[in-house]
Amino acid sequence: MRALITGGAGFIGSHLAEVLLARGDDVHVVDDLSTGSMHNITHLKANPGFSYTLGSVMDRRTMAEQVDLADVVYHLAAAVGVQLIVESPVRTIETNVRGTEVVLEMAAKKNRKVLLTSTSEVYGKSTAIPFVESGDLTLGSTHLGRWSYACSKALDEFLALAYWKEKGLPVTVARLFNTVGPRQIGRYGMVIPRLVGQALAGEPITVYGDGSQQRSFTWVHDAVGALVDLMDADAANGEVYNIGSTQEISILALAELIKERTGSSSPIVFVPYDQAYAPGFEDMMRRLPSLAKIHALTGYEPSRTVAQIIDGVIDSLR
Ligand code: UDP
C-alpha cells in the first residue's frame, strides 16, 4: 500500500507518516513547507518506503503524478492556526479551496480514496453541545477573517461529499478537535505549545479574553490512529466523523495546570482578544465533540487526559 500525504511535513502529517511506515506502508509526502518543516521528516528519510516532494498541492503536475502513484490520499495540507488565518486570510482561502479542488480532481481521475482532514472550527458559533456531525454550522460575519477558515474547510467538505455523491469517489471527512503533541509549534496560535513554551521560558503565560472559553484537546497519536482507521473502513466512505476528546477545560484552568505541571513561576496574564488577534475577534466559548459516531465504527477512545497531554508536550519541549 502506498499512501500520499499532503501536508506530510506538518505536525499531524509527520506523525501519520511515521505510523503508516511502521505498519509497512510506503509513504510519499507533498509539502510546501509553509507551516511544515523538513525537521519533522528528517528522521524518516532513511526509511526505504519514504519519499517526498517539496511543492504545493496546487501544483497540478506534481499532484497528478503523485496521486497516480498512490493507492490512497490523506489530504492534510491546509493553512491552519487562528493567528495565521487572521493575519493572512487570502492565503488561507486560496490554499484551502484550490488545494482541495486539485486533490479531489486528481483522485477522481484515478479513483483513489481521499481522507480529507477538516476541523471542529466548521461548527463555528454553534451552541448545540456536544457537536454532532449532522448538526448545523453557525458562522460569523464575512468581515471577520477568522470565519474564512471555517468557511473554506466547509466548502472543502461540500466538494468532497459532492465527489462521492456525483462521481462515486470514495472520500471520508475527519473533523479534528484541537490536536496536540510533539512537533506542534505555538507560532500560529495553538494554545498548549505556546503556553508550555512560555511557562518553561519563565515568560508571562498569556490567556486571551477572560479564560472562561473551553476546549477539549486530542493527543496527536489518537487523532492519527483514527485517520488510519477511517481510511481503512469502507463503511466510512461518504461520511463525516469528529475526532477529539470529551474532557473539557477552560483556558484559565489550562494555564493554571500548565504552570503546575511545569513548576513554573511565570505569571498568568490576561490579553484582550482585540490585542491578541484583531478588533471584533469572536471566539467560541465551548467546542465539544460527540464521539458516538466514530466510536461505533472503530471503537475510538481518547487515550490521554489533558494533564497527560500537557506532560507529553512538556517532555517534547524540554
Ligand atoms: N489562547 C490563549 N492564549 C494563547 C493562545 C490561544 O488564551 O496564547 C486561547 C484562544 O483564544 C482559544 C484557545 O486558547 O480560546 C485555543 O486556541 P488555539 O489557537 O489553540 O485553537 P482554537 O481553538 O482557537 O482553534
Side-chain angles (χ1 to χ4, degrees):
M1 175 82 99
R2 178 179 163 112
L4 170 61
I5 306 177
T6 72
F11 153 56
I12 301 175
S14 62
H15 285 282
L16 174 63
E18 252 172 49
V19 165
L20 292 173
L21 288 166
R23 73 167 190 181
D25 291 353
D26 288 343
V27 168
H28 188 86
V29 161
V30 172
D31 201 301
D32 67 358
L33 302 183
S34 53
T35 55
S37 146
M38 272 317 278
H39 187 67
N40 290 340
I41 54 172
T42 304
H43 64 296
L44 302 176
K45 284 191 203 164
N47 190 315
F50 180 76
S51 53
Y52 65 93
T53 305
L54 295 185
S56 166
V57 280
M58 291 182 269
D59 175 354
R60 300 174 60 83
R61 264 182 71 171
T62 299
M63 291 308 295
E65 187 186 357
Q66 291 305 330
V67 169
D68 185 28
L69 290 170
D71 299 299
V72 295
V73 182
Y74 290 89
H75 179 39
L76 276 68
V80 294
V82 175
Q83 209 164 305
L84 174 68
I85 284 146
V86 170
E87 282 162 14
S88 314
V90 171
R91 174 169 154 201
T92 301
I93 299 165
E94 289 184 352
T95 308
N96 294 359
V97 175
R98 286 188 196 154
T100 302
E101 274 173 7
V102 173
V103 168
L104 290 169
E105 183 192 332
M106 301 305 169
K109 280 188 185 150
K110 302 289 173 180
N111 198 40
R112 304 291 193 259
K113 178 165 174 176
V114 177
L115 191 294
L116 171 77
T117 53
S118 183
T119 166
S120 57
E121 181 91 6
V122 296
Y123 292 106
K125 297 191 276 187
S126 170
T127 52
I129 299 282
F131 296 150
V132 293
E133 291 86 344
S134 55
D136 289 345
L137 312 183
T138 311
L139 305 188
S141 161
T142 51
H143 286 292
L144 301 176
R146 162 171 212 152
W147 301 112
S148 65
Y149 177 51
C151 198
S152 69
K153 294 305 283 191
L155 183 59
D156 287 354
E157 292 193 17
F158 274 121
L159 192 60
L161 296 173
Y163 266 95
W164 161 251
K165 282 180 204 140
E166 214 178 298
K167 301 178 191 286
L169 176 71
V171 295
T172 300
V173 175
R175 291 182 181 157
L176 298 170
F177 283 67
N178 293 77
T179 308
V180 185
R183 297 184 206 137
Q184 186 178 38
I185 48 174
R187 197 185 314 147
Y188 308 105
M190 284 81 174
V191 66
I192 291 187
R194 262 179 77 85
L195 269 51
V196 170
Q198 291 165 345
L200 291 176
E203 294 164 4
I205 299 175
T206 55
V207 168
Y208 297 163
D210 66 4
S212 65
Q213 70 273 31
Q214 292 179 294
R215 291 293 185 273
S216 52
F217 294 94
T218 317
W219 184 238
V220 66
H221 294 136
D222 293 343
V224 162
L227 295 178
V228 174
D229 288 346
L230 290 176
M231 179 63 97
D232 290 348
D234 288 344
N237 293 349
E239 297 289 339
V240 178
Y241 293 87
N242 292 334
I243 300 176
S245 154
T246 48
Q247 187 191 0
E248 275 188 296
I249 185 167
S250 75
I251 298 303
L252 179 55
L254 180 80
E256 284 163 351
L257 190 57
I258 287 172
K259 201 170 138 86
E260 181 195 313
R261 310 296 292 190
T262 52
S264 170
S265 53
S266 291
I268 293 175
V269 298
F270 293 91
V271 182
Y273 283 119
D274 286 13
Q275 268 175 43
Y277 298 109
F281 181 85
E282 291 174 333
D283 202 0
M284 290 87 158
M285 291 313 289
R286 286 181 76 190
R287 188 191 270 166
L288 182 74
S290 162
L291 299 176
K293 188 172 176 183
I294 189 162
H295 180 77
L297 182 77
T298 69
Y300 173 86
E301 299 266 6
S303 70
R304 287 196 179 208
T305 62
V306 67
Q308 290 169 325
I309 288 174
I310 291 168
D311 289 350
V313 172
I314 295 170
D315 285 348
S316 72
L317 289 182
R318 261 194 179 133

